């Protein structure tokens, strides 16, 4: 995220044709947790909107509506370790209160109601931590949610 908003790796991103940093006020970070103190301080001092997992039900829709007034399209990046441990384990880093599968899929649907989803990614998955395959099934649902809103900005 720091690279995407132009806070680091600037020499590298300068070599990417067409790369332009995303304005921090155009980033909504949902469900991030387990930040180290330095990360938390940088995030708090940035223009990035942070919506904690426990706040998603109350705040997310409004934040995405406001974002949709500033941008015409979105990139939706899903680190699967944003999911709550009760949903399964995506990798070694998951911890603390996370989003439920339903909350995650609802966030993607909400994003698509307010803006065209132009691209998406699903990351941070280590199958060796997902013995029951529950996170893999959620990843499939996330991929389907992203592709259903990819072309016209509305779920089909």
């Amino acid at each position: 995220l720091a690279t995407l908003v132009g806070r680091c790796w600037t020499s590298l991103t300068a070599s990417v044709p067409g790369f332009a940093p995303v304005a921090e006020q155009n980033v909504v970070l949902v469900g991030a947790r387990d930040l180290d103190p330095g990360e938390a301080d940088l995030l708090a001092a940035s223009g990035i909107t942070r919506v904690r997992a426990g706040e998603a039900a109350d705040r997310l829709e409004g934040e995405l509506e406001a974002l949709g007034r500033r941008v015409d399209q979105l990139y939706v990046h899903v680190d699967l370790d944003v999911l709550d441990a009760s949903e399964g384990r995506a990798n070694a880093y998951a911890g603390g209160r996370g989003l439920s599968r339903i909350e995650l899929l609802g966030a993607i649907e909400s994003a698509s109601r307010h803006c065209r989803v132009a691209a998406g990614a699903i990351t941070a998955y280590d199958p060796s931590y997902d013995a029951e395959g529950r996170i893999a099934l959620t990843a499939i649902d996330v991929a389907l949610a992203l592709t259903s809103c990819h072309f016209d900005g509305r779920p089909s």
Side-chain angles (χ1 to χ4, degrees), residues 128-155:
S128 68
Y129 285 87
D130 186 24
E132 296 175 1
R134 293 170 56 206
I135 299 296
L137 293 174
T138 297
I140 292 167
D141 289 340
V142 168
L144 291 170
L146 288 170
T147 57
S148 73
C149 61
H150 179 79
F151 296 106
D152 64 4
R154 301 283 183 252

Side-chain angles (χ1 to χ4, degrees), residues 4-92:
L4 183 68
V5 298
R7 287 186 172 242
C8 65
W9 295 98
T10 55
S11 296
L12 177 66
T13 58
S15 71
V16 177
F19 176 83
V22 174
E24 290 180 352
Q25 68 268 18
N26 292 336
V27 176
V28 177
L29 181 62
V30 182
R33 60 191 195 273
D34 290 339
L35 302 174
D36 66 43
E39 289 173 318
D41 291 345
L42 285 171
L43 186 57
S46 76
I48 294 170
T49 299
R50 180 178 180 196
V51 178
R52 289 173 174 81
E55 304 170 325
D58 296 327
R59 288 191 50 217
L60 186 57
E61 187 73 23
E63 296 295 353
L64 292 172
E65 183 178 348
L67 178 64
R69 291 192 295 268
R70 294 190 303 272
V71 301
D72 347 316
Q73 58 185 359
L74 298 176
Y75 165 68
V76 176
H77 183 97
V78 178
D79 283 351
L80 290 170
D81 59 9
V82 75
L83 289 162
D84 191 78
S86 66
E87 298 290 343
R89 190 162 174 107
N91 57 43

Side-chain angles (χ1 to χ4, degrees), residues 88-112:
R89 190 162 174 107
N91 57 43
Y93 304 104
R97 162 85 163 86
L99 297 175
S100 71
R101 176 187 164 281
I102 297 301
E103 288 171 322
L104 175 56
L105 295 172
I108 295 166
E109 182 181 338
S110 179
S112 73

